[in-house]
């Protein structure tokens, strides 16, 4: 598989839902231990009490095919800590 990750931050600002999205590059033929460390993404969190980061892993398919969903996880920003962490993904 050729995995990539969509990162979405769902937040609240002035009573309205705000969503910020980023997408990593895909890793060719490495579904067992892909590493994404070339790019850095910055999110502006307005309300940490309600903000949630969603990580969704997809398999990149050809130009004329729909990408396949692999797994996802949603993490409240208030639960995140500094340092290297692992995230359990659910399909």
């Amino acid at each position: 598989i050729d995995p990539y990750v969509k990162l979405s931050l769902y937040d609240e600002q002035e009573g309205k839902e705000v969503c910020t999205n980023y997408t990593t590059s895909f890793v060719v033929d490495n579904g067992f231990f892909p590493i994404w460390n070339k790019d850095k993404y910055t999110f502006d969190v307005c309300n940490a009490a309600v903000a949630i980061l969603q990580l969704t892993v997809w398999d990149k398919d050809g130009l004329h095919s729909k990408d396949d969903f692999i797994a996802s996880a949603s993490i409240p920003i208030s639960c995140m800590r500094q340092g290297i962490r692992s995230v359990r993904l659910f399909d």
Side-chain angles (χ1 to χ4, degrees):
I1 68 173
D2 305 320
Y4 66 94
V5 180
K6 288 185 179 179
L7 302 98
S8 301
L9 178 73
Y10 296 94
D11 199 358
E12 178 272 334
Q13 182 178 13
E14 298 177 5
K16 295 182 180 179
E17 183 177 312
V18 178
C19 181
T20 305
N21 297 297
Y22 293 104
T23 302
T24 68
S25 57
F26 64 94
V27 179
V28 178
D29 292 329
N30 187 354
F32 291 108
F33 194 66
I35 297 174
W36 296 276
N37 61 359
K38 294 180 182 176
D39 300 317
K40 294 186 181 199
Y41 304 99
T42 302
F43 293 95
D44 292 322
V45 177
C46 298
N47 189 343
V50 299
I52 294 176
L53 178 64
Q54 182 180 48
L55 307 169
T56 307
V57 183
W58 295 86
D59 175 22
K60 181 72 173 167
D61 287 332
L63 293 174
H64 304 292
S65 300
K66 183 178 176 185
D67 294 350
D68 299 317
F69 171 81
I70 298 174
S72 181
S74 296
I75 308 153
I77 294 297
S78 61
C79 295
M80 295 182 76
R81 302 291 177 258
Q82 287 185 344
I84 297 172
R85 301 284 185 252
S86 63
V87 177
R88 177 177 276 179
L89 298 173
F90 299 93
D91 60 358

